[in-house]
Amino acid sequence: MQIYNTKKLDSLVSLLWGEKPSADIFNRWSQGFEWSSTEPLALIQNYGGPCSVIAPVQAFFLKRLLFADDKSPATKLPVRIRPTVEISVSEEEKKRTFTDSLIEILLQVNNSWSVCISNLDKSSSGNTSSDIYGMLDTSSVDMKNPQQAISNFHKSIFIHNCTSRVELETVLTKYYQQLFSKYGVLLFLYTALLSRGVDVIRTEHDNLDSPMIDPIHGHGGQSLLNLMLSGEAVPNVFDGSADLSGLSEFIPAHSRS
């Protein structure tokens, strides 16, 4: 367990939020993953902004629920056969599927097989003290210094480097409850970004004048959404192959636009 390199984290914060993150926008992103009480398999978004993280996680979760791991040649869509029309999922299967969905996202994001799990637990116990959340509560910060809680959050991030899928699953299971706490969405976002690598993302994002989170409206940009969906923080959806008057040409990822 270690504190992430301060200079690299500062560089990532600038790339993600801009030079001076908005306290209001940071507040809107400060939510954990949360299941709906009326639709138990649906994730809830409380405020505008973090949909670029929550929606992809929801998509990967539903994909893993609906589609079998191995495709059957007898069916076009390998949908899991369940006893009722309504999908019935136990809490154990739901937790396992959610964890597997996060792992799938992180494995395609990972650039060097060293996944950096972001967490707020210095003791490695998996349980975060309520004192930390009090310190990070932006709603109670003196308005003369609204950046304090944001700064405290970044200073409180600890990293667990995972070098195998087994270790990744073990660590995610340990910190599972943190994902559903106040900063769960941000912690997973930072996990994905740090695992991809600041320098790699900076090259892929290809627009350093514009942060990955809109500084005015707080919405995640296309490069952030693409990172979660495809593992690359490119600004547009493009598969790398372009047809130019019948000639096929490959365009490197950093040039896709």
Side-chain angles (χ1 to χ4, degrees):
M1 186 73 63
Q2 62 182 7
I3 297 179
Y4 197 72
N5 181 285
T6 305
K7 289 185 178 180
K8 285 192 174 182
L9 188 56
D10 288 344
S11 178
L12 177 59
V13 172
S14 176
L15 182 63
L16 183 64
W17 302 96
E19 292 304 319
K20 190 175 182 180
S22 162
D24 175 64
I25 291 175
F26 185 83
N27 257 329
R28 285 192 270 140
W29 277 77
S30 298
Q31 76 156 83
F33 291 102
E34 180 183 352
W35 299 111
S36 167
S37 58
T38 55
E39 296 289 345
L41 301 180
L43 292 170
I44 292 176
Q45 178 181 334
N46 295 322
Y47 301 102
C51 52
S52 52
V53 176
I54 296 174
V57 170
Q58 177 77 79
F60 276 84
F61 173 77
L62 291 177
K63 184 192 74 169
R64 296 192 75 88
L65 276 182
L66 293 173
F67 297 93
D69 296 330
D70 299 320
K71 291 184 178 181
S72 169
T75 57
K76 293 182 179 180
L77 291 176
V79 178
R80 293 180 187 273
I81 298 176
R82 296 187 181 275
T84 61
V85 176
E86 293 184 2
I87 297 178
S88 177
V89 179
S90 67
E91 286 300 317
E92 181 182 355
E93 181 181 3
K94 186 163 124 176
K95 179 178 179 178
R96 183 176 64 252
T97 303
F98 183 80
T99 302
D100 287 342
S101 302
L102 301 187
I103 290 174
E104 185 177 356
I105 292 173
L106 293 177
L107 289 183
Q108 70 175 9
V109 162
N110 168 59
N111 192 48
S112 60
W113 233 132
S114 180
V115 178
C116 302
I117 303 297
S118 303
N119 64 89
L120 300 175
D121 179 31
K122 182 178 180 180
S123 67
S124 301
S125 66
N127 298 315
T128 307
S129 168
S130 59
D131 293 341
I132 292 180
Y133 291 113
M135 179 183 70
L136 298 177
D137 186 4
T138 50
S139 64
S140 63
V141 174
D142 186 343
M143 289 310 294
K144 293 181 180 180
N145 188 15
Q147 300 296 315
Q148 187 61 54
I150 300 175
S151 175
N152 288 341
F153 172 78
H154 293 112
K155 289 178 181 178
S156 301
I157 292 178
F158 288 83
I159 299 298
H160 191 126
N161 289 308
C162 301
T163 57
S164 70
R165 192 191 190 284
V166 173
E167 184 181 12
L168 177 57
E169 184 174 357
T170 300
V171 174
L172 276 178
T173 301
K174 177 191 294 184
Y175 294 115
Y176 185 81
Q177 291 305 319
Q178 278 198 27
L179 294 171
F180 288 83
S181 67
K182 180 175 180 178
Y183 298 97
V185 171
L186 281 176
L187 288 174
F188 182 68
L189 170 60
Y190 276 65
T191 292
L193 294 170
L194 294 175
S195 297
R196 185 64 179 168
V198 178
D199 294 336
V200 174
I201 292 177
R202 187 174 292 276
T203 300
E204 292 175 339
H205 181 52
D206 206 27
N207 185 2
L208 302 183
D209 293 330
S210 177
M212 299 178 78
I213 293 177
D214 187 282
I216 298 177
H217 304 290
H219 302 138
Q222 187 67 52
S223 59
L224 181 54
L225 180 61
N226 285 346
L227 176 69
M228 292 293 168
L229 291 174
S230 68
E232 298 180 55
V234 291
N236 295 91
V237 179
F238 191 80
D239 63 4
S241 179
D243 189 308
L244 305 175
S245 300
L247 298 176
S248 182
E249 180 178 346
F250 176 76
I251 300 178
H254 66 271
S255 299
R256 298 173 192 175
S257 60

